[in-house]
Each structure stands twice: as structure tokens, then as C-alpha cells.
Amino acid sequence: MTESGTDAKSAILDRIGTALADRPQAAPIPRDYDTTRNVADVLALAEERIDDYKATVHRSTPEKLPELIAARLAARGARTMVAPAELPSEWLADGVTWLLDEPEKPLSVAELDGSDGVLTGCALTIAETGTIVLDAGPESGRRMLTLVPDYHLCVIRADQVVDAVPAAIARLGADRPVTFISGPSATSDIEFNRVEGVHGPRTLDVILVA
């Protein structure tokens, strides 16, 4: 920009500053958001809302979890599954070939696409909206793991369920990429014809561990 152009810009900004010098101060914006919803049973609400999104919810206890994971994979006919490398070893059912996504040797898109599905945990789940939150942590895995396979089996512990979005935001860190999942991947065209599996798993199975 030429010197004259720079002077013209400065003159305009100076005039704006002068015109606004005596403007009234804006009122402070309240930040004391209500983070509670007084939900009597957050697990029941989470189950109801996740089911509303056409995902399938199964209840389990910690002791029965490995058995239920194996049963769900058997019912699905899954032979090759993807999982984050740091997923609890007891979750990795026998009789299934497990492709573990190692940080130093990440799985390729072809390996993810050729698998029968992915097993992960989660960071949080929001009962009010039925939303599962993944944060690329040890149990969530990197984002690609849950976008490429056609089937996602997700384990949610009771202590990971919060009542509403503000409570979830308060617990999430700002140093990880976050993915919010509300049901299987789906979209609708201009005539409202629903198409599933467009940009993520076509089928979402959820195990709620209480």
C-alpha cells in the first residue's frame, strides 16, 4: 500500500475512533450458565435419547462387559475389528482378528475400510441430547477410526455420562480434537429421504456400563 493509502486508512480509523469515543459502555454478559438439569436418572435418559437416534443400547455390568462385547461381535459376524491400541485388553474378544491403531504405526485407510467395524470407549456422553463425545484419547482413538468403518461398537461407563451440554464442555479439555456423535451417520436429501452411512458408521451399537 502506498504512503498516501496508509495515511487515508489512518485518517478513517481516527475518525471512527473519535465518533465512538463517547458511546455508552456495553453491559457485561453474564457467564454464570446453568450447568445442571436436575435429571433424576441420567443413565435412563441417555439410553432413551441414544435409542431415539436409531442406535442400539445394551446395558451391562463391568464384570459382564467382555462377554457382552464378544456376543455383540458374534451377532454381527465380525471377524476383523479395529481398536485404539490402548483399549483395555479384556475388551478384545477372542475369535476376532484385532487391528490395533498404534501411534507409531497408524492403520491405513484401506485397513480401516476393510475391517468389519471399530470398538472404542468414549470421553463423555451427554444424556440430554444422546450425544457421545470422542476426544482422540486412549479409549476414543483418533478420529479416522470412527469415520471409516461401517460399524461402531462404543462402550460408555456410567461415570462418563453427564446430564447436559454445559456440564460436558466444563469437563472437556481444549487440547484434543473433539467429535460429537448423535446416532449413526445419516443425512437427508432435498426430499427428506434419509440415507445412512454417508460420512461415518451406518450402524452404532452402544454398551452402557453401570
Side-chain angles (χ1 to χ4, degrees):
M1 184 178 291
T2 64
E3 184 177 349
S4 59
T6 303
D7 292 342
K9 178 180 178 182
S10 298
I12 292 172
L13 293 176
D14 287 342
R15 290 176 184 175
I16 293 174
T18 300
L20 297 177
D22 60 349
R23 73 190 187 282
Q25 293 295 319
I29 299 174
R31 301 293 183 183
D32 53 339
Y33 303 121
D34 179 13
T35 61
T36 62
R37 294 295 185 273
N38 297 319
V39 178
D41 189 340
V42 292
L43 298 186
L45 180 60
E47 182 174 0
E48 175 190 335
R49 297 295 166 82
I50 294 171
D51 181 73
D52 283 344
Y53 279 114
K54 296 188 176 181
T56 305
V57 184
H58 312 270
R59 289 280 195 134
S60 179
T61 63
E63 296 76 20
K64 294 287 187 180
L65 178 58
E67 179 182 338
L68 183 53
I69 291 174
R72 295 314 308 154
L73 296 182
R76 179 79 182 177
R79 298 182 178 180
T80 302
M81 290 289 294
V82 169
E86 297 184 49
L87 212 62
S89 59
E90 61 269 21
W91 292 12
L92 307 182
D94 294 334
V96 175
T97 299
W98 290 96
L99 303 178
L100 300 182
D101 191 58
E102 303 280 355
E104 63 277 4
K105 189 179 179 182
L107 298 173
S108 66
V109 174
E111 288 174 309
L112 297 176
D113 190 45
S115 70
D116 294 314
V118 58
L119 169 65
T120 73
C122 71
L124 292 172
T125 294
I126 306 169
E128 188 175 51
T129 61
T131 301
I132 298 168
V133 184
L134 307 178
D135 68 349
E139 293 188 0
S140 297
R142 59 192 177 105
R143 183 172 292 172
M144 188 181 294
L145 299 189
T146 52
L147 292 179
V148 178
D150 197 50
Y151 171 65
H152 183 188
L153 177 58
C154 184
V155 177
I156 303 170
R157 300 192 309 273
D159 62 354
Q160 295 174 316
V161 181
V162 298
D163 54 3
V165 173
I169 298 301
R171 286 178 55 174
L172 289 170
D175 58 342
R176 293 181 183 275
V178 178
T179 303
F180 290 79
I181 300 173
S182 296
S185 167
T187 190
S188 297
D189 61 20
I190 195 170
E191 296 181 350
F192 299 104
N193 294 314
R194 181 182 172 92
V195 180
E196 297 179 348
V198 176
H199 46 264
R202 194 190 316 266
T203 304
L204 175 61
D205 256 355
V206 172
I207 299 178
L208 190 57
V209 184

